[in-house]
Amino acid sequence: MTARLVFKTIGRTFRSGQHTTTALAGVDLTLEPGSFTAIVGPSGCGKSTLLHIAAGLDTQFQGTFTRDPANAKLACLFQQPRLLPWRSARDNVSFVLEARGVSRQEARRRAGEMLDLVGLGPAANRYPSQLSGGMQQRVSLARALAVDPDLLLMDEPFSALDELTAARLREELVALCAQRARTILFVTHNIPEACYLAERVIVMTAHPGTVMAEVDIDLPRPRSADDPRLAEVAARVRLFIDNGRSKEIAA
Ligand SMILES: Nc1ncnc2c1ncn2[C@@H]1O[C@H](COP(=O)(O)OP(=O)(O)O)[C@@H](O)[C@H]1O
Ligand SMILES: [Mg+2]
């Protein structure tokens, strides 16, 4: 099972006192089951807001959002690993399984397997403070995948990491995603990253945040980050964003 997401004329306005911010306006977007979609756009264009709506964390929006099936299993990965500091890597992963009713013994066994999968088996007993940023994000990825999600929502998960670590994690993500069809929504401000990972790149512009273009990326996986065809696509995406910016400035 994988999930289909449909956003129809989504709007979101934040009000605080006299101040209102239209974070999103008129967003129409469909994510087909098993597709890998990246959303790129400048900081503040509403990417995280859209992801929060997809995750069900924000319900104060206008328009309609549907997730089909409604009980699709969902996992999120954020920029910060958000690990529990008093639990080992293994227990950070087993925790989410136990919360879903898996026995402690089985949860710990599966957590070990997931950590092996992300290359962290030997560090399973270490605590977050004993792990590098990249290793912590790997634990977070293992935790997200441990529930075998139909839908994986990621908000700039690699942007706090050094480029070499981020590049390795991108490769690993592609390999892990090849093992089972899932619907993936990946938010980033990193254009080459979006083009490397996704089948489709959605370009957003700000004020108000809206979809201004879609770019299909028909290159087979695994891709080489140095593929000149990716650089060409990235240049096209950049052009859309720059055009959007110049419209903002003119307005
Ligand atoms: N809880 C909030 N209260 C007020 N304004 C918010 C809130 N969350 C986001 N915003 C505003 O909405 C806009 C979009 O934010 P966000 O979705 O975080 O953008 P992005 O993830 O693309 O950087 C920004 O102008 C931001 O300041
Ligand atoms: Mg954001």
Side-chain angles (χ1 to χ4, degrees):
M1 183 173 75
T2 66
R4 183 170 199 264
L5 306 189
V6 183
F7 300 86
K8 270 200 193 131
T9 51
I10 295 287
R12 178 64 165 107
T13 302
F14 292 103
R15 288 192 183 80
S16 52
Q18 303 281 37
H19 198 72
T20 61
T21 308
T22 306
L24 296 171
V27 173
D28 287 307
L29 185 62
T30 298
L31 307 192
E32 295 300 342
S35 61
F36 194 137
T37 306
I39 296 187
V40 288
S43 179
C45 74
K47 303 182 295 296
S48 293
T49 303
L50 197 65
L51 188 123
H52 291 156
I53 292 170
L57 297 169
D58 183 345
T59 54
Q60 304 297 303
F61 56 88
Q62 295 84 50
T64 56
F65 168 69
T66 50
R67 191 159 68 212
D68 180 31
N71 66 350
K73 272 187 284 173
L74 160 79
C76 296
L77 199 59
F78 299 97
Q79 188 174 341
Q80 300 304 330
R82 301 189 184 190
L83 302 176
L84 300 172
W86 60 88
R87 282 176 176 263
S88 66
R90 185 201 305 276
D91 287 347
N92 264 283
V93 178
S94 65
F95 172 67
V96 294
L97 294 169
E98 285 181 60
R100 286 172 185 250
V102 178
S103 73
R104 180 158 172 77
Q105 199 185 1
E106 172 65 9
R108 282 177 62 81
R109 191 190 63 75
R110 274 174 39 196
E113 269 178 20
M114 294 313 303
L115 289 169
D116 280 342
L117 207 61
V118 298
L120 268 191
N125 293 324
R126 289 205 224 162
Y127 287 85
S129 63
Q130 300 171 314
L131 301 171
S132 68
M135 290 162 98
Q136 289 184 30
Q137 198 56 309
R138 280 203 172 94
V139 176
S140 191
L141 180 60
R143 180 179 58 185
L145 293 174
V147 302
D148 195 21
D150 308 303
L151 172 63
L152 190 52
L153 303 172
M154 290 182 275
D155 193 354
E156 313 224 13
F158 307 140
S159 61
L161 304 175
D162 66 87
E163 182 48 32
L164 291 176
T165 307
R168 276 196 59 187
L169 276 167
R170 281 178 210 124
E171 284 172 20
E172 287 170 20
L173 177 66
V174 169
L176 290 168
C177 291
Q179 295 172 358
R180 171 215 200 278
R182 311 173 197 279
T183 308
I184 300 179
L185 180 58
F186 189 101
V187 160
T188 180
H189 61 257
N190 181 328
I191 298 170
E193 173 175 67
C195 297
Y196 171 78
L197 289 172
E199 300 158 7
R200 185 168 62 134
V201 175
I202 305 294
V203 182
M204 283 184 66
T205 52
H207 310 299
T210 195
V211 172
M212 70 127 25
E214 291 188 21
V215 177
D216 287 328
I217 303 184
D218 293 326
L219 301 174
R221 289 203 191 87
R223 299 167 178 165
S224 158
D226 302 324
D227 189 329
R229 293 172 297 180
L230 277 182
E232 259 168 52
V233 184
R236 268 172 57 210
V237 170
R238 183 171 295 281
L239 207 58
F240 280 120
I241 290 177
D242 289 346
N243 284 343
R245 277 218 188 98
S246 55
K247 272 186 207 148
E248 263 175 52
I249 292 162

PDB file of all heavy atoms in Angstrom, residues 7-31:
ATOM      1  N   PHE A   7      -3.869  17.956  -2.696  1.00  0.00           N
ATOM      2  CA  PHE A   7      -4.064  19.295  -2.122  1.00  0.00           C
ATOM      3  C   PHE A   7      -4.899  20.081  -3.124  1.00  0.00           C
ATOM      4  O   PHE A   7      -4.510  20.187  -4.288  1.00  0.00           O
ATOM      5  CB  PHE A   7      -2.731  20.028  -1.979  1.00  0.00           C
ATOM      6  CG  PHE A   7      -1.715  19.355  -1.103  1.00  0.00           C
ATOM      7  CD1 PHE A   7      -0.858  18.391  -1.617  1.00  0.00           C
ATOM      8  CD2 PHE A   7      -1.595  19.717   0.237  1.00  0.00           C
ATOM      9  CE1 PHE A   7       0.109  17.790  -0.810  1.00  0.00           C
ATOM     10  CE2 PHE A   7      -0.621  19.123   1.044  1.00  0.00           C
ATOM     11  CZ  PHE A   7       0.223  18.152   0.524  1.00  0.00           C
ATOM     12  N   LYS A   8      -6.031  20.635  -2.687  1.00  0.00           N
ATOM     13  CA  LYS A   8      -6.874  21.424  -3.589  1.00  0.00           C
ATOM     14  C   LYS A   8      -7.053  22.833  -3.049  1.00  0.00           C
ATOM     15  O   LYS A   8      -7.549  23.001  -1.931  1.00  0.00           O
ATOM     16  CB  LYS A   8      -8.252  20.757  -3.741  1.00  0.00           C
ATOM     17  CG  LYS A   8      -8.301  19.763  -4.882  1.00  0.00           C
ATOM     18  CD  LYS A   8      -9.733  19.505  -5.324  1.00  0.00           C
ATOM     19  CE  LYS A   8      -9.724  18.278  -6.219  1.00  0.00           C
ATOM     20  NZ  LYS A   8     -10.730  17.299  -5.832  1.00  0.00           N
ATOM     21  N   THR A   9      -6.638  23.792  -3.859  1.00  0.00           N
ATOM     22  CA  THR A   9      -6.729  25.225  -3.505  1.00  0.00           C
ATOM     23  C   THR A   9      -6.454  25.473  -2.022  1.00  0.00           C
ATOM     24  O   THR A   9      -7.257  26.057  -1.310  1.00  0.00           O
ATOM     25  CB  THR A   9      -8.095  25.837  -3.897  1.00  0.00           C
ATOM     26  OG1 THR A   9      -9.143  25.003  -3.367  1.00  0.00           O
ATOM     27  CG2 THR A   9      -8.253  25.938  -5.386  1.00  0.00           C
ATOM     28  N   ILE A  10      -5.286  24.995  -1.607  1.00  0.00           N
ATOM     29  CA  ILE A  10      -4.901  25.130  -0.196  1.00  0.00           C
ATOM     30  C   ILE A  10      -4.412  26.561   0.077  1.00  0.00           C
ATOM     31  O   ILE A  10      -3.590  27.109  -0.663  1.00  0.00           O
ATOM     32  CB  ILE A  10      -3.765  24.152   0.156  1.00  0.00           C
ATOM     33  CG1 ILE A  10      -4.226  22.702   0.039  1.00  0.00           C
ATOM     34  CG2 ILE A  10      -3.206  24.443   1.559  1.00  0.00           C
ATOM     35  CD1 ILE A  10      -5.163  22.212   1.109  1.00  0.00           C
ATOM     36  N   GLY A  11      -4.942  27.130   1.133  1.00  0.00           N
ATOM     37  CA  GLY A  11      -4.476  28.429   1.608  1.00  0.00           C
ATOM     38  C   GLY A  11      -4.182  28.329   3.098  1.00  0.00           C
ATOM     39  O   GLY A  11      -4.760  27.502   3.799  1.00  0.00           O
ATOM     40  N   ARG A  12      -3.240  29.135   3.566  1.00  0.00           N
ATOM     41  CA  ARG A  12      -2.945  29.154   5.005  1.00  0.00           C
ATOM     42  C   ARG A  12      -2.481  30.551   5.373  1.00  0.00           C
ATOM     43  O   ARG A  12      -1.512  31.070   4.794  1.00  0.00           O
ATOM     44  CB  ARG A  12      -1.863  28.117   5.332  1.00  0.00           C
ATOM     45  CG  ARG A  12      -1.445  28.098   6.802  1.00  0.00           C
ATOM     46  CD  ARG A  12      -2.601  27.681   7.707  1.00  0.00           C
ATOM     47  NE  ARG A  12      -2.190  27.309   9.046  1.00  0.00           N
ATOM     48  CZ  ARG A  12      -2.395  28.066  10.138  1.00  0.00           C
ATOM     49  NH1 ARG A  12      -2.969  29.251  10.024  1.00  0.00           N
ATOM     50  NH2 ARG A  12      -2.024  27.624  11.325  1.00  0.00           N
ATOM     51  N   THR A  13      -3.191  31.149   6.277  1.00  0.00           N
ATOM     52  CA  THR A  13      -2.824  32.483   6.756  1.00  0.00           C
ATOM     53  C   THR A  13      -2.535  32.411   8.240  1.00  0.00           C
ATOM     54  O   THR A  13      -3.291  31.788   8.985  1.00  0.00           O
ATOM     55  CB  THR A  13      -3.990  33.463   6.493  1.00  0.00           C
ATOM     56  OG1 THR A  13      -4.253  33.451   5.093  1.00  0.00           O
ATOM     57  CG2 THR A  13      -3.639  34.875   6.906  1.00  0.00           C
ATOM     58  N   PHE A  14      -1.405  32.995   8.635  1.00  0.00           N
ATOM     59  CA  PHE A  14      -1.084  33.064  10.058  1.00  0.00           C
ATOM     60  C   PHE A  14      -1.413  34.464  10.549  1.00  0.00           C
ATOM     61  O   PHE A  14      -1.035  35.453   9.910  1.00  0.00           O
ATOM     62  CB  PHE A  14       0.404  32.788  10.296  1.00  0.00           C
ATOM     63  CG  PHE A  14       0.807  31.367   9.993  1.00  0.00           C
ATOM     64  CD1 PHE A  14       1.472  31.060   8.820  1.00  0.00           C
ATOM     65  CD2 PHE A  14       0.513  30.351  10.889  1.00  0.00           C
ATOM     66  CE1 PHE A  14       1.844  29.744   8.545  1.00  0.00           C
ATOM     67  CE2 PHE A  14       0.879  29.037  10.622  1.00  0.00           C
ATOM     68  CZ  PHE A  14       1.554  28.736   9.448  1.00  0.00           C
ATOM     69  N   ARG A  15      -2.098  34.533  11.673  1.00  0.00           N
ATOM     70  CA  ARG A  15      -2.410  35.842  12.268  1.00  0.00           C
ATOM     71  C   ARG A  15      -1.786  35.930  13.636  1.00  0.00           C
ATOM     72  O   ARG A  15      -1.940  35.029  14.448  1.00  0.00           O
ATOM     73  CB  ARG A  15      -3.936  36.000  12.427  1.00  0.00           C
ATOM     74  CG  ARG A  15      -4.624  36.211  11.113  1.00  0.00           C
ATOM     75  CD  ARG A  15      -6.076  36.659  11.258  1.00  0.00           C
ATOM     76  NE  ARG A  15      -6.618  36.759   9.911  1.00  0.00           N
ATOM     77  CZ  ARG A  15      -7.044  35.725   9.204  1.00  0.00           C
ATOM     78  NH1 ARG A  15      -7.005  34.509   9.731  1.00  0.00           N
ATOM     79  NH2 ARG A  15      -7.492  35.876   7.983  1.00  0.00           N
ATOM     80  N   SER A  16      -1.049  37.008  13.856  1.00  0.00           N
ATOM     81  CA  SER A  16      -0.598  37.255  15.236  1.00  0.00           C
ATOM     82  C   SER A  16      -0.758  38.747  15.479  1.00  0.00           C
ATOM     83  O   SER A  16      -0.081  39.563  14.861  1.00  0.00           O
ATOM     84  CB  SER A  16       0.841  36.784  15.445  1.00  0.00           C
ATOM     85  OG  SER A  16       1.675  37.335  14.466  1.00  0.00           O
ATOM     86  N   GLY A  17      -1.719  39.084  16.342  1.00  0.00           N
ATOM     87  CA  GLY A  17      -2.038  40.489  16.592  1.00  0.00           C
ATOM     88  C   GLY A  17      -2.545  41.141  15.320  1.00  0.00           C
ATOM     89  O   GLY A  17      -3.441  40.636  14.658  1.00  0.00           O
ATOM     90  N   GLN A  18      -1.912  42.246  14.955  1.00  0.00           N
ATOM     91  CA  GLN A  18      -2.323  42.993  13.757  1.00  0.00           C
ATOM     92  C   GLN A  18      -1.744  42.381  12.488  1.00  0.00           C
ATOM     93  O   GLN A  18      -2.167  42.698  11.395  1.00  0.00           O
ATOM     94  CB  GLN A  18      -1.801  44.448  13.844  1.00  0.00           C
ATOM     95  CG  GLN A  18      -2.242  45.208  15.051  1.00  0.00           C
ATOM     96  CD  GLN A  18      -3.670  45.717  14.884  1.00  0.00           C
ATOM     97  OE1 GLN A  18      -4.532  45.049  14.298  1.00  0.00           O
ATOM     98  NE2 GLN A  18      -3.941  46.901  15.388  1.00  0.00           N
ATOM     99  N   HIS A  19      -0.776  41.505  12.710  1.00  0.00           N
ATOM    100  CA  HIS A  19       0.046  41.046  11.596  1.00  0.00           C
ATOM    101  C   HIS A  19      -0.522  39.774  10.971  1.00  0.00           C
ATOM    102  O   HIS A  19      -0.823  38.818  11.665  1.00  0.00           O
ATOM    103  CB  HIS A  19       1.457  40.781  12.124  1.00  0.00           C
ATOM    104  CG  HIS A  19       2.471  40.728  11.054  1.00  0.00           C
ATOM    105  ND1 HIS A  19       2.897  41.850  10.379  1.00  0.00           N
ATOM    106  CD2 HIS A  19       3.131  39.678  10.507  1.00  0.00           C
ATOM    107  CE1 HIS A  19       3.782  41.489   9.479  1.00  0.00           C
ATOM    108  NE2 HIS A  19       3.944  40.176   9.533  1.00  0.00           N
ATOM    109  N   THR A  20      -0.707  39.752   9.647  1.00  0.00           N
ATOM    110  CA  THR A  20      -1.102  38.506   8.994  1.00  0.00           C
ATOM    111  C   THR A  20      -0.080  38.143   7.925  1.00  0.00           C
ATOM    112  O   THR A  20       0.447  39.011   7.222  1.00  0.00           O
ATOM    113  CB  THR A  20      -2.496  38.595   8.316  1.00  0.00           C
ATOM    114  OG1 THR A  20      -2.427  39.595   7.330  1.00  0.00           O
ATOM    115  CG2 THR A  20      -3.598  38.894   9.284  1.00  0.00           C
ATOM    116  N   THR A  21       0.211  36.855   7.823  1.00  0.00           N
ATOM    117  CA  THR A  21       1.114  36.343   6.799  1.00  0.00           C
ATOM    118  C   THR A  21       0.357  35.297   5.994  1.00  0.00           C
ATOM    119  O   THR A  21      -0.153  34.335   6.569  1.00  0.00           O
ATOM    120  CB  THR A  21       2.341  35.643   7.430  1.00  0.00           C
ATOM    121  OG1 THR A  21       2.920  36.533   8.361  1.00  0.00           O
ATOM    122  CG2 THR A  21       3.357  35.242   6.381  1.00  0.00           C
ATOM    123  N   THR A  22       0.281  35.509   4.689  1.00  0.00           N
ATOM    124  CA  THR A  22      -0.322  34.477   3.846  1.00  0.00           C
ATOM    125  C   THR A  22       0.794  33.531   3.417  1.00  0.00           C
ATOM    126  O   THR A  22       1.552  33.831   2.501  1.00  0.00           O
ATOM    127  CB  THR A  22      -1.022  35.099   2.619  1.00  0.00           C
ATOM    128  OG1 THR A  22      -1.931  36.082   3.112  1.00  0.00           O
ATOM    129  CG2 THR A  22      -1.777  34.057   1.827  1.00  0.00           C
ATOM    130  N   ALA A  23       0.884  32.420   4.144  1.00  0.00           N
ATOM    131  CA  ALA A  23       1.980  31.481   3.884  1.00  0.00           C
ATOM    132  C   ALA A  23       1.720  30.689   2.614  1.00  0.00           C
ATOM    133  O   ALA A  23       2.653  30.371   1.874  1.00  0.00           O
ATOM    134  CB  ALA A  23       2.147  30.547   5.073  1.00  0.00           C
ATOM    135  N   LEU A  24       0.463  30.354   2.356  1.00  0.00           N
ATOM    136  CA  LEU A  24       0.118  29.585   1.153  1.00  0.00           C
ATOM    137  C   LEU A  24      -1.162  30.149   0.552  1.00  0.00           C
ATOM    138  O   LEU A  24      -2.053  30.583   1.277  1.00  0.00           O
ATOM    139  CB  LEU A  24      -0.139  28.115   1.505  1.00  0.00           C
ATOM    140  CG  LEU A  24       1.024  27.291   2.072  1.00  0.00           C
ATOM    141  CD1 LEU A  24       0.511  25.935   2.560  1.00  0.00           C
ATOM    142  CD2 LEU A  24       2.112  27.100   1.015  1.00  0.00           C
ATOM    143  N   ALA A  25      -1.253  30.123  -0.780  1.00  0.00           N
ATOM    144  CA  ALA A  25      -2.490  30.537  -1.443  1.00  0.00           C
ATOM    145  C   ALA A  25      -2.658  29.735  -2.727  1.00  0.00           C
ATOM    146  O   ALA A  25      -1.736  29.646  -3.536  1.00  0.00           O
ATOM    147  CB  ALA A  25      -2.461  32.026  -1.760  1.00  0.00           C
ATOM    148  N   GLY A  26      -3.832  29.128  -2.861  1.00  0.00           N
ATOM    149  CA  GLY A  26      -4.175  28.433  -4.107  1.00  0.00           C
ATOM    150  C   GLY A  26      -3.217  27.333  -4.513  1.00  0.00           C
ATOM    151  O   GLY A  26      -2.880  27.194  -5.687  1.00  0.00           O
ATOM    152  N   VAL A  27      -2.803  26.525  -3.552  1.00  0.00           N
ATOM    153  CA  VAL A  27      -1.883  25.431  -3.892  1.00  0.00           C
ATOM    154  C   VAL A  27      -2.680  24.205  -4.338  1.00  0.00           C
ATOM    155  O   VAL A  27      -3.488  23.664  -3.580  1.00  0.00           O
ATOM    156  CB  VAL A  27      -0.971  25.063  -2.698  1.00  0.00           C
ATOM    157  CG1 VAL A  27      -0.145  23.817  -3.002  1.00  0.00           C
ATOM    158  CG2 VAL A  27      -0.064  26.240  -2.363  1.00  0.00           C
ATOM    159  N   ASP A  28      -2.462  23.802  -5.579  1.00  0.00           N
ATOM    160  CA  ASP A  28      -3.051  22.579  -6.126  1.00  0.00           C
ATOM    161  C   ASP A  28      -1.925  21.624  -6.435  1.00  0.00           C
ATOM    162  O   ASP A  28      -1.001  21.987  -7.170  1.00  0.00           O
ATOM    163  CB  ASP A  28      -3.808  22.874  -7.433  1.00  0.00           C
ATOM    164  CG  ASP A  28      -5.108  23.602  -7.187  1.00  0.00           C
ATOM    165  OD1 ASP A  28      -5.908  23.101  -6.377  1.00  0.00           O
ATOM    166  OD2 ASP A  28      -5.310  24.671  -7.793  1.00  0.00           O
ATOM    167  N   LEU A  29      -2.022  20.433  -5.881  1.00  0.00           N
ATOM    168  CA  LEU A  29      -0.925  19.484  -6.056  1.00  0.00           C
ATOM    169  C   LEU A  29      -1.430  18.079  -5.774  1.00  0.00           C
ATOM    170  O   LEU A  29      -2.163  17.860  -4.814  1.00  0.00           O
ATOM    171  CB  LEU A  29       0.175  19.858  -5.052  1.00  0.00           C
ATOM    172  CG  LEU A  29       1.492  19.119  -5.090  1.00  0.00           C
ATOM    173  CD1 LEU A  29       2.183  19.348  -6.421  1.00  0.00           C
ATOM    174  CD2 LEU A  29       2.392  19.624  -3.953  1.00  0.00           C
ATOM    175  N   THR A  30      -1.058  17.144  -6.650  1.00  0.00           N
ATOM    176  CA  THR A  30      -1.399  15.739  -6.397  1.00  0.00           C
ATOM    177  C   THR A  30      -0.126  14.917  -6.391  1.00  0.00           C
ATOM    178  O   THR A  30       0.716  15.064  -7.276  1.00  0.00           O
ATOM    179  CB  THR A  30      -2.350  15.212  -7.504  1.00  0.00           C
ATOM    180  OG1 THR A  30      -3.548  15.974  -7.463  1.00  0.00           O
ATOM    181  CG2 THR A  30      -2.692  13.738  -7.276  1.00  0.00           C
ATOM    182  N   LEU A  31       0.028  14.084  -5.375  1.00  0.00           N
ATOM    183  CA  LEU A  31       1.163  13.162  -5.320  1.00  0.00           C
ATOM    184  C   LEU A  31       0.621  11.758  -5.543  1.00  0.00           C
ATOM    185  O   LEU A  31      -0.183  11.267  -4.749  1.00  0.00           O
ATOM    186  CB  LEU A  31       1.866  13.211  -3.966  1.00  0.00           C
ATOM    187  CG  LEU A  31       2.335  14.555  -3.419  1.00  0.00           C
ATOM    188  CD1 LEU A  31       3.247  14.331  -2.232  1.00  0.00           C
ATOM    189  CD2 LEU A  31       3.052  15.375  -4.467  1.00  0.00           C
TER     190      LEU A  31
END
